Amino acid sequence: LRQNDDWGQALGDGWQEELAALDIEIVVDEVFAMDVTDLTTVVTKLVDKNPDVVLNACYFQSMSLLTQTMAGVGYEPKAMLCSSSGETDNDFIPTVGNNADGFFTVSGWGEDVLASMPDKAWIGEEYIERNNGEHYTAESAAGWAAAMVICESLEAAGSDDAEAINTAMRALEIPEDSWWNIYPYPISFNQETGKNENAIPVMGQFQDTKIKLIYPESIAVEGTELVFPGYELSPVYKNR
């Protein structure tokens, strides 16, 4: 399931290619507009085909509508894998409540990361204090890390020359236990592409109106369990 824009098309093409390589059958393939107002037909197809996994790339409005429509007909996918978009919007959980419980989402970061790093908890606490109670998000974490990488690069370059800074940045080796690194992996950059090849996805699951991080295991809060259809936290179970 995906939006009918360049982002949705790119994801859809990638999914189809990878799933074909794994010999996995696609039983439902739906594309819809950002301003869609009715997803009943889409959900009906999901109920009818009962796929093992639903891959989903929706912005906030359509993600909320999809979630509420599924809950309205009592449909709960075996696994809903979302693409770090509409479901990560700050208004998503207040809009859908428990109806998203059990959904999976992937992002670069989540607050439970800081919970696994008690010596860095002050970073999130100070952010909340300075931003009128607003909590750290994946976007906040990326902004913090980007600023700190620039600071490290400026210091290493010893110059404000752009080329010198770029060279210094690509040579950085920031360990996971650096005082400011709030990611569960080291930060360093490929000399040719400039990408941090140590980066791994952070996977979370909606549980009782919160996103609980489940992967990598090093950042999962002790006692966190996966929620699947029929589990007491699942939306369908709660609505019985």
Side-chain angles (χ1 to χ4, degrees):
L1 310 180
R2 61 193 190 278
Q3 304 286 174
N4 63 346
D5 61 0
D6 291 343
W7 171 68
Q9 185 62 49
L11 277 179
D13 291 346
W15 288 342
Q16 290 173 347
E17 181 178 341
E18 293 297 326
L19 292 174
L22 294 170
D23 198 26
I24 296 175
E25 181 185 6
I26 299 175
V27 296
V28 176
D29 184 6
E30 290 291 326
V31 182
F32 38 82
M34 288 180 57
D35 59 353
V36 63
T37 58
D38 189 347
L39 288 172
T40 304
T41 301
V42 172
V43 173
T44 299
K45 289 183 180 180
L46 292 175
V47 173
D48 179 56
K49 296 295 185 179
N50 192 28
D52 294 315
V53 177
V54 177
L55 299 179
N56 165 51
C58 300
Y59 298 118
F60 169 69
Q61 179 179 331
S62 51
M63 185 67 211
S64 300
L65 178 62
L66 178 65
T67 303
Q68 301 296 60
T69 303
M70 291 195 304
V73 301
Y75 171 68
E76 189 174 27
K78 298 172 185 177
M80 169 75 95
L81 305 185
C82 306
S83 303
S84 188
S85 186
E87 79 282 356
T88 62
D89 190 287
N90 288 336
D91 290 327
F92 179 67
I93 290 178
T95 299
V96 305
N98 287 101
N99 289 337
D101 282 349
F103 291 6
F104 294 93
T105 184
V106 178
S107 71
W109 193 85
E111 276 196 307
D112 282 356
V113 174
L114 282 181
S116 70
M117 304 174 178
D119 58 324
K120 302 174 187 178
W122 64 271
I123 298 174
E125 293 166 356
E126 189 169 310
Y127 182 88
I128 292 172
E129 182 179 343
R130 293 189 176 195
N131 291 275
N132 301 314
E134 178 182 323
H135 284 245
Y136 232 59
T137 64
E139 289 74 19
S140 310
W144 163 269
M148 296 309 300
V149 163
I150 291 173
C151 289
E152 293 267 5
S153 302
L154 283 167
E155 183 175 349
S159 166
D160 61 1
D161 176 72
E163 186 173 341
I165 294 171
N166 184 51
T167 299
M169 184 178 295
R170 289 174 183 262
L172 288 179
E173 296 282 348
I174 308 298
E176 185 177 341
D177 61 359
S178 170
W179 70 269
W180 60 263
N181 185 6
I182 57 176
Y183 286 95
Y185 46 78
I187 297 174
S188 60
F189 303 99
N190 181 288
Q191 294 295 311
E192 294 183 4
T193 66
K195 294 182 178 180
N196 179 15
E197 296 186 340
N198 300 305
I200 56 176
V202 172
M203 178 170 280
Q205 185 179 47
F206 287 83
Q207 297 186 12
D208 212 10
T209 67
K210 295 180 176 65
I211 297 178
K212 297 290 186 180
L213 298 188
I214 58 174
Y215 179 85
E217 293 182 3
S218 62
I219 61 172
V221 174
E222 185 176 355
T224 299
E225 299 179 3
L226 296 183
V227 173
F228 292 103
Y231 190 79
E232 61 181 5
L233 282 180
S234 74
V236 172
Y237 184 100
K238 283 175 173 290
N239 292 330
R240 286 176 177 171

